[in-house]
Amino acid sequence: MGWALPLLRVVCLCSLVAVARPARPANVSIGALFTFDSVIGRSARAAIDLAVADVNRDARVLRGTHLSLVAQDTKCSGFVGTIQALQLMEKKVVAVVGPQSSGIAHVVSHVVNELHVPLLSFAATDPALASAQYPYFVRAARGDDSSQMAAVADIVTYYGWREVTVIYVDNDYGRGGVDALGDALEAQRAKVSFKAPFPPDADQAAIADLLVRVTMMESRVCVVHVNPDSGLAVFAAARSLGMMASGYVWIATDWLAAALDSTRPPNPRAMSLVQGVVTLRQHTPDSGAKTSLTSRFAAAQLNRTATLNAFGLAAYDAVWMAARAIDEFLEDGGNVTFSVDPRLQQEVNGSSTLRLDTLRVFDQGEQLLQKVMLANFTGVTGGVRFSADGRSLADPAYEVLNVGGTGVRRVGYWSNHSHLSVAAPTPLRIKTNSSQQQQEQRLYSVIWPGETTSPPRGWVFPNNGRPLRIGVPYRTTQKQFVSKDSGPDGASGYCIDVFKAAVALLPYPVPVSFILFGDGVKNPSYSDLVNKVANNVFDAAVGDVSIVTNRTRVVDFTQPYVESGLVIVSPVKEKSSNAWAFLKPFTLGMWAVTGAFFLFVGAVVWILEHRFNPEFRGSPREQLVTIFWFSFSTMFFAHRENTVSSLGRFVLIIWLFVVLIINSSYTASLTSILTVQQLSTGIQGLDGLLASADPIGYQVGSFAKSYMMQELNVPESRLKELAIDDYAASLQLGPRNGGVAAIVDELPYVDLFLSTNCQFKTVGQEFTKSGWGFAFQRDSPLAVDLSTAILTLSENGDLQRIHDKWLNPGQCDSSQGGDVAADRLNLSSFWGLFLISGVACFIALVIFFTRILCQYGKYNQGDDEGGTPPEDCPVRRPERLRSIRDLITFVDMKEEEAKRAIKRKSSDDRRDRSIASSAGASSFSASTV
């Protein structure tokens, strides 16, 4: 009996466990809510049935609990869908797979919020459903319209388009998608230029009327976001209107891929309607489970042409998501119970006959929802897990498809990590190479409507009968640039002619209407004109509009057609020429060094020529006069003395080159001083203007005021607004008599003003660099095309011809413009020439005196051999002086005399040595005897 006690203990322990963990229910019901007879519904219905069967067949899931399915047909109606949802809740379902419609999902979400039933939608993609208002809504699809529209925006910007037209169904699904697209495009400096909604029940005629309005718009990039069941009607109407031809771009969201994937082989009629269209498909990586499901789906269909689309795959995984969550809920000891909502009971006890008392609240709905959000498994759509926000599946990805021929061709992929890429977005690539993929976005080539491979421009000038509204400044001064005109255009001038010439080069017609901006009393504010363009009052501004930084922030400018910049205009007066004007070309230092070098070179040449050239010999007075005469006569190349020595000629050639340069520079500088530079002014440039406290004038409406105040810190009290007609009077009055010391204005205005007012000149240099351009609204493609046209005008010379037509140079000598300060020539400009001449003189003197010393050594050799005085007998001072005098005498000799003296000295020395030898021999013989 010893075994009885342990057995009893085991039985008691099992009883305790059974009491602690409730038994699993034999059956759990889930609901399915979608439109059975629809593109998405036909695929989802079979996929959901297969999923329920697979769950019940898999012993590892729900272990002993049977999963039942209750399906309700919403019949594409929000009202019917709401009724069907209430009927579904009467069946005590713990979760609902669906609905497919975003509109129905909005309504049903309120119901499940009250009854605590998780709603797993596989096709409702409205981003608004992810808000905290719908805590029981779970998106089981791979992505919502936020990610899908981000993919569309990337495609648009990849091809350089800036504006799109959106054609969409006017319901929650369509409006939510359009809002998401607008946000995605705005983040990439693009925009939705026109919205074309149509009601869900619109017929073919209503859609055609809508597309006629689309053809009148500027953008030719059309994004179609509609339901898959009615979407092909849009393309049928578009083809009948000729909108599927070359020049158009059609981008469809994932509804088109779902419609085309629903039949195999593809419907030829449907394919003929969408040739050249780019569409998206939710990316599901290939796997054995996906292939097996697709095969079983095809085998289960009575109509063998039906196939499984991406929404059907998502519905299959949604059932598995619910089943795994229920299994984990039951595994944790959860119990499925329902209770009555007291608020619904009060309605029943009243006068209501809606049988709301049959609706029950799922008591454990919140716990089951938490299990759903913890999903982490691999399904037929890939890895199934939720993102950090817990409302959508992580890592949404799409395939970019191009419809052509009898099928579709994949041209790339998009994911929220890698964006556009030709490589499939696997988790490994997403983690390791995401930054690199963002830098290498690319797609394979696309065949666009009209069977063209080059990307369309994406826009044309709108054919809506409304001309381009062009704001034109109503100038009251210098009307040559732009102003009012009595002609048909209402405006004329240099700027108008440039604009017309550029528009004439465009490959499409651009009707325009010039609208004057200003009161005609004074020049308008150009900043206000630019702001009118930015605020859509005008489509563009044409005139003398400067391209400055703060304006480029709100509008787009064309290529500049006039170079411009701020310059300073100041009054000038002639200086009377005086008797010493010829000294002004050189500074005092330059005069001193030049004179010194004349004397120095003359002395060097005299030294080099004195022994060879009789013209450089004579009495000391004659030789001194020769030095001075020769020195300064080289200035005019009038020296009469010839140089015969090689060293003298070498020095003279280099010096004459230096004299030539100095002479030419002096002549040019003196000419400039006596002509152009006879003008003087107190302000020499920008620094002098800022250092003074005198008033400064600027043109009415010019940006010069804001520039001087903000960039140069000039007090506003110093600035005085002037019309160009008042420039001359204000400058002549001067700052002491109520006028101005100088005027700051743009170079084109100043050039035209100075052409008829010779008593004023510009001082200093331009201190800004800008230009004039035509202003357009941000991202206007016309700005790009007109920039190309302006470059063409510049290259073919038309721009210069228009300039010469309107802006004549006047009668003032333009060569006298510019800086009035005459720069005197100083030593720094010529020290290199003087250095070369000095080095040449030094080298010649070294060679000359080396040669003299060698000759003198030979000449004095005999005296040295006569004997050396003893060490204790020092050389006397008179002997040293005699040696120096002998050297000077030798140097002063003519070259021929020196050679003869050396030769005679050499002969005498040889004779003396011969006599000495003979005397020595006689003495030796006598002693021997």
Side-chain angles (χ1 to χ4, degrees):
M1 297 295 293
W3 52 269
L5 185 59
L7 180 61
L8 181 61
R9 290 176 179 175
V10 170
V11 171
C12 293
L13 181 61
C14 293
S15 300
L16 291 174
V17 171
V19 172
R21 175 177 296 179
R24 285 175 173 260
N27 184 77
V28 174
S29 297
I30 62 172
L33 191 65
F34 55 92
T35 300
F36 294 168
D37 188 17
S38 65
V39 170
I40 295 176
R42 287 188 290 270
S43 179
R45 184 173 187 178
I48 291 173
D49 290 340
L50 289 173
V52 172
D54 290 344
V55 168
N56 288 326
R57 189 165 47 248
D58 193 337
R60 296 170 297 177
V61 182
L62 293 180
R63 292 177 287 254
T65 300
H66 184 268
L67 183 66
S68 298
L69 177 69
V70 181
Q72 299 289 139
D73 187 1
T74 61
K75 299 184 183 299
C76 287
S77 169
F79 176 74
V80 174
T82 303
I83 300 301
Q84 295 296 326
L86 294 175
Q87 293 180 357
L88 193 62
M89 298 304 160
E90 294 178 354
K91 310 292 178 56
K92 295 183 179 180
V93 295
V94 297
V96 175
V97 176
Q100 73 185 58
S101 167
S102 296
I104 297 177
H106 277 282
V107 177
V108 175
S109 291
H110 291 286
V111 176
V112 298
N113 285 351
E114 297 296 329
L115 301 181
H116 298 175
V117 177
L119 191 65
L120 283 64
S121 176
F122 55 87
T125 55
D126 181 9
L129 291 168
S131 66
Q133 182 183 4
Y134 309 115
Y136 282 86
F137 177 85
V138 178
R139 200 186 312 277
R142 182 57 59 181
D144 62 5
D145 283 342
S146 292
S147 57
Q148 182 173 207
M149 293 308 178
V152 172
D154 279 349
I155 294 173
V156 170
T157 55
Y158 174 78
Y159 289 105
W161 302 315
R162 292 301 179 193
E163 296 184 5
V164 302
T165 296
V166 186
I167 304 168
Y168 63 99
V169 59
D170 195 6
N171 56 17
D172 292 332
Y173 160 73
R175 290 188 295 270
V178 171
D179 291 342
L181 178 60
D183 293 340
L185 289 173
E186 184 177 358
Q188 304 196 40
R189 283 199 62 184
K191 65 178 181 180
V192 175
S193 61
F194 182 68
K195 297 178 181 180
F198 62 88
D201 56 351
D203 56 15
Q204 192 75 12
I207 295 176
D209 291 341
L210 180 67
L211 293 184
V212 169
R213 295 172 54 198
V214 171
T215 61
M216 297 180 180
M217 297 298 109
E218 180 178 287
S219 174
R220 285 293 182 262
V221 181
C222 301
V223 177
V224 184
H225 186 57
V226 296
N227 296 318
D229 297 284
S230 59
L232 290 177
V234 174
F235 288 103
R239 190 174 71 168
S240 65
L241 294 173
M243 298 175 66
M244 300 303 295
S246 177
Y248 280 88
V249 177
W250 291 91
I251 302 175
T253 52
D254 56 0
W255 68 267
L256 179 57
L260 298 179
D261 291 341
S262 297
T263 57
R264 283 289 183 273
N267 187 332
R269 179 182 176 278
M271 295 299 297
S272 66
L273 296 175
V274 293
Q275 293 294 302
V277 176
V278 174
T279 185
L280 299 175
R281 176 200 289 154
Q282 295 181 26
H283 174 61
T284 55
D286 294 332
S287 63
K290 177 181 174 181
T291 303
S292 174
L293 177 63
T294 303
S295 300
R296 291 188 293 126
F297 178 90
Q301 300 301 307
L302 297 177
N303 181 5
R304 300 297 180 180
T305 62
T307 58
L308 194 63
N309 57 36
F311 293 105
L313 296 174
Y316 181 88
D317 278 350
V319 174
W320 273 96
M321 186 186 301
R324 290 176 181 273
I326 294 171
D327 180 59
E328 293 180 8
F329 168 73
L330 296 177
E331 185 67 19
D332 290 346
N335 190 18
V336 178
T337 60
F338 293 87
S339 61
V340 176
D341 188 338
R343 291 173 297 176
L344 296 179
Q345 193 66 31
Q346 291 175 3
E347 292 293 334
V348 172
N349 293 335
S351 59
S352 175
T353 59
L354 295 178
R355 296 185 57 195
L356 297 179
D357 58 328
T358 59
L359 299 178
R360 295 291 185 268
V361 177
F362 179 27
D363 297 329
Q364 293 79 28
E366 186 174 354
Q367 292 91 324
L368 180 60
L369 177 64
Q370 295 302 321
K371 296 299 182 182
V372 170
M373 306 308 296
L374 295 175
N376 189 2
F377 65 96
T378 301
V380 295
T381 60
V384 178
R385 67 181 188 281
F386 285 90
S387 58
D389 61 3
R391 308 308 304 271
S392 302
L393 294 181
D395 302 330
Y398 293 89
E399 299 174 11
V400 183
L401 308 176
N402 179 213
V403 183
T406 59
V408 296
R409 180 173 60 94
R410 184 189 301 116
V411 296
Y413 299 88
W414 182 92
S415 72
N416 61 336
H417 295 280
S418 61
H419 296 272
L420 295 177
S421 174
V422 294
T426 62
L428 179 63
R429 286 184 60 87
I430 290 174
K431 292 180 181 179
T432 59
N433 296 330
S434 61
S435 61
Q436 180 180 358
Q437 289 186 19
Q438 290 179 3
Q439 298 175 359
E440 299 177 356
Q441 293 191 44
R442 60 183 294 260
L443 297 173
Y444 290 122
S445 62
V446 173
I447 300 177
W448 304 98
E451 298 183 356
T452 61
T453 56
S454 59
R457 185 188 343 193
W459 75 280
V460 296
F461 194 80
N463 187 24
N464 55 12
R466 182 179 68 84
L468 208 64
R469 298 167 300 173
I470 305 294
V472 177
Y474 190 174
R475 290 190 60 88
T476 58
T477 58
Q478 291 192 341
K479 299 181 180 181
Q480 297 96 321
F481 292 109
V482 60
S483 190
K484 182 179 181 180
D485 184 72
S486 58
D489 293 329
S492 64
Y494 168 68
C495 303
I496 299 297
D497 279 6
V498 172
F499 178 74
K500 288 181 178 179
V503 169
L505 294 177
L506 299 180
Y508 47 86
V510 180
V512 298
S513 174
F514 295 112
I515 304 172
L516 293 174
F517 176 74
D519 55 11
V521 177
K522 64 177 183 178
N523 293 339
S525 170
Y526 285 74
S527 295
D528 291 345
L529 175 60
V530 171
N531 289 331
K532 293 287 186 181
V533 176
N535 296 330
N536 199 30
V537 176
F538 297 128
D539 297 313
V542 171
D544 45 339
V545 183
S546 297
I547 304 173
V548 293
T549 303
N550 61 337
R551 294 174 184 173
T552 58
R553 297 190 181 105
V554 295
V555 297
D556 285 345
F557 281 94
T558 63
Q559 172 80 15
Y561 60 91
V562 171
E563 294 296 329
S564 181
L566 291 178
V567 294
I568 302 171
V569 181
S570 179
V572 293
K573 51 187 175 181
E574 290 193 6
K575 295 190 300 182
S576 59
S577 181
N578 56 58
W580 304 101
F582 67 91
L583 294 176
K584 292 183 179 179
F586 289 166
T587 60
L588 180 61
M590 181 65 180
W591 278 118
V593 173
T594 303
F597 253 86
F598 271 109
L599 295 176
F600 172 69
V601 172
V604 170
V605 172
W606 176 83
I607 293 173
L608 298 176
E609 291 289 322
H610 179 69
R611 304 189 71 204
F612 299 91
N613 196 338
E615 295 182 358
F616 287 86
R617 301 185 67 85
S619 64
R621 179 176 177 277
E622 290 176 348
Q623 294 185 55
L624 187 62
V625 171
T626 299
I627 292 175
F628 277 90
W629 164 256
F630 182 84
S631 297
F632 292 101
S633 63
T634 56
M635 180 186 300
F636 312 104
F637 305 98
H639 52 283
R640 65 174 181 266
E641 294 81 7
N642 294 322
T643 52
V644 296
S645 67
S646 299
L647 293 176
R649 290 175 177 176
F650 168 69
V651 170
L652 185 60
I653 288 174
I654 293 179
W655 176 243
L656 291 178
F657 172 74
V658 174
V659 170
L660 176 64
I661 299 300
I662 294 175
N663 220 347
S664 301
S665 302
Y666 175 85
T667 303
S669 180
L670 182 61
T671 303
S672 177
I673 289 175
L674 295 178
T675 55
V676 177
Q677 302 298 347
Q678 291 183 14
L679 306 170
S680 64
T681 179
I683 297 175
Q684 302 296 328
L686 180 62
D687 293 338
L689 182 66
L690 297 179
S692 70
D694 295 333
I696 304 171
Y698 66 92
Q699 185 182 174
V700 177
S702 173
F703 75 96
K705 177 182 179 181
S706 60
Y707 180 85
M708 287 188 287
M709 292 178 58
Q710 298 173 9
E711 302 296 332
L712 304 180
N713 298 319
V714 177
E716 187 176 3
S717 59
R718 288 187 59 192
L719 302 179
K720 186 174 182 179
E721 187 179 68
L722 297 172
I724 293 181
D725 293 342
D726 299 330
Y727 278 8
S730 296
L731 288 171
Q732 288 173 344
L733 284 174
R736 301 293 183 268
N737 300 314
V740 295
I743 289 174
V744 175
D745 204 350
E746 295 180 72
L747 184 59
Y749 302 125
V750 170
D751 285 342
L752 193 58
F753 170 73
L754 295 181
S755 66
T756 56
N757 293 272
C758 306
Q759 67 273 33
F760 308 108
K761 300 297 174 188
T762 59
V763 295
Q765 304 294 325
E766 291 183 57
F767 52 92
T768 64
K769 289 292 184 181
S770 62
W772 292 353
F774 304 133
F776 287 86
Q777 295 178 10
R778 293 298 295 271
D779 303 318
S780 172
L782 264 177
V784 178
D785 287 355
L786 279 178
S787 294
T788 304
I790 290 172
L791 290 176
T792 303
L793 290 176
S794 178
E795 292 171 357
N796 62 23
D798 288 345
L799 196 60
Q800 185 61 43
R801 282 188 285 272
I802 298 173
H803 179 276
D804 296 340
K805 170 187 173 183
W806 288 97
L807 307 177
N808 294 323
Q811 299 178 355
C812 291
D813 185 4
S814 61
S815 65
Q816 295 184 8
D819 193 355
V820 301
D823 293 329
R824 303 176 69 187
L825 300 176
N826 53 45
L827 186 60
S828 62
S829 302
F830 298 95
W831 70 267
L833 291 174
F834 290 126
L835 178 63
I836 294 173
S837 180
V839 170
C841 292
F842 176 76
I843 293 174
L845 290 175
V846 169
I847 296 174
F848 176 78
F849 282 111
T850 301
R851 183 169 174 270
I852 290 295
L853 291 176
C854 290
Q855 288 181 345
Y856 183 70
K858 293 179 181 181
Y859 174 78
N860 204 33
Q861 186 175 1
D863 295 339
D864 293 340
E865 291 176 354
T868 303
E871 294 181 1
D872 57 351
C873 182
V875 179
R876 298 175 183 175
R877 182 180 182 88
E879 292 179 352
R880 293 180 181 176
L881 293 176
R882 183 172 61 84
S883 298
I884 294 174
R885 285 197 301 269
D886 290 344
L887 176 60
I888 294 175
T889 301
F890 179 79
V891 172
D892 190 52
M893 288 182 181
K894 291 183 179 181
E895 184 70 15
E896 293 81 0
E897 294 177 357
K899 290 181 179 179
R900 286 197 301 268
I902 293 173
K903 187 176 181 181
R904 185 173 60 253
K905 196 81 165 178
S906 178
S907 298
D908 293 344
D909 290 343
R910 284 195 300 269
R911 186 177 63 250
D912 291 343
R913 284 195 296 270
S914 176
I915 294 172
S917 298
S918 299
S922 299
S923 299
F924 177 75
S925 299
S927 63
T928 302
V929 174

